[in-house]
Amino acid sequence: MLNLRTISIALLASLSMTSFTVAADTRYISDNLNTYLRGGPSDNYRLTGTINAGEKVELLAVNDSTKYGQIQDSKGRTAWIPMDQLSTAPSLSERVPALEQQVKDLTDKLTNIDNSWNQRTADMQEKVAKSDGIINGLKQENQQLKDELADARKKVSDISLQMDDKQRTIIQQWFMYGGGVAGVGLILGLLLPYLIPRRKKDRWMN
């Protein structure tokens, strides 16, 4: 029995004397796995407690022969656990809050984009409404100018007709006046021989 105890102690001592790789690194306990803590770098050491899955720890050293790592948890406890139970990626318990924050940030950005888009849409609709009002106003003004132009053309046409009538009247009056003058001249030409005294003619003949 003494020999067996001596051999066991020697074996543990030889394990404890195995070369260690010193590593000050942040690691995480694998998700969905509650890990037992041991007092040394092998399964032969007694259990000193447990650690929750996903917990953040500091890796202090690595036993290359037994593939055990010495860690220190958030409570300040120092113990050994198998290296395959450590992960370099953050655990879900650490990633979920970050993902939730990321989702919140993205949601806020989408909300801001949506609000900005709605505001831009409202501004564009307002501009379009104003443009429609301006276009309608220009159309009404154009129609009014067309109506005024038509009225002006009608007035010009009426005035032209009136001027033509007056010209015809003046021409008729001139013809009548000229005819009257010619008639008077003809009458005078016929009457003058009879109006001149005959005695004067006889005197000249004598």
Side-chain angles (χ1 to χ4, degrees):
M1 292 295 293
L2 290 175
N3 291 334
L4 288 176
R5 293 183 68 181
T6 302
I7 292 171
S8 298
I9 293 171
L11 180 60
L12 291 174
S14 64
L15 289 174
S16 62
M17 293 296 293
T18 305
S19 62
F20 293 98
T21 300
V22 178
D25 194 7
T26 300
R27 298 296 174 94
Y28 301 89
I29 305 300
S30 299
D31 291 324
N32 302 322
L33 181 65
N34 288 331
T35 303
Y36 290 104
L37 301 176
R38 293 187 178 273
S42 71
D43 294 340
N44 295 322
Y45 288 88
R46 64 184 181 85
L47 300 174
T48 59
T50 59
I51 188 169
N52 296 327
E55 187 171 336
K56 181 179 179 180
V57 297
E58 290 295 324
L59 180 61
L60 303 179
V62 177
N63 189 312
D64 295 329
S65 60
T66 61
K67 303 302 181 185
Y68 261 71
Q70 187 182 35
I71 55 126
Q72 186 177 34
D73 64 7
S74 58
K75 299 177 182 178
R77 296 181 300 174
T78 301
W80 293 83
I81 62 173
M83 287 296 296
D84 59 4
Q85 296 178 8
L86 291 174
S87 172
T88 56
S91 63
L92 289 176
S93 61
E94 295 237 349
R95 282 182 287 172
V96 166
L99 292 174
E100 289 178 345
Q101 183 62 40
Q102 186 176 2
V103 170
K104 181 180 180 301
D105 293 340
L106 291 175
T107 301
D108 293 339
K109 287 182 179 180
L110 288 174
T111 301
N112 292 333
I113 291 173
D114 187 55
N115 293 335
S116 177
W117 176 256
N118 290 336
Q119 184 62 41
R120 290 183 180 181
T121 302
D123 293 341
M124 289 299 295
Q125 289 176 348
E126 184 178 356
K127 289 180 180 179
V128 169
K130 289 181 179 179
S131 299
D132 290 341
I134 294 173
I135 292 172
N136 292 332
L138 291 174
K139 286 182 178 179
Q140 292 177 358
E141 185 177 355
N142 185 38
Q143 185 61 43
Q144 183 178 358
L145 291 174
K146 287 182 178 179
D147 294 340
E148 291 177 357
L149 179 61
D151 292 339
R153 286 177 176 175
K154 186 176 183 300
K155 289 180 180 179
V156 169
S157 178
D158 294 341
I159 292 172
S160 298
L161 291 175
Q162 291 177 3
M163 289 181 65
D164 291 341
D165 291 340
K166 287 183 178 180
Q167 286 178 352
R168 284 194 294 269
T169 302
I170 291 171
I171 291 171
Q172 289 176 358
Q173 288 177 352
W174 276 104
F175 272 116
M176 291 176 66
Y177 179 75
V181 171
V184 170
L186 180 60
I187 293 172
L188 288 176
L190 294 173
L191 292 177
L192 280 177
Y194 297 99
L195 294 176
I196 297 174
R198 288 180 175 272
R199 56 187 178 178
K200 290 182 178 181
K201 184 177 180 182
D202 294 339
R203 185 183 306 169
W204 291 344
M205 292 180 66
N206 292 327

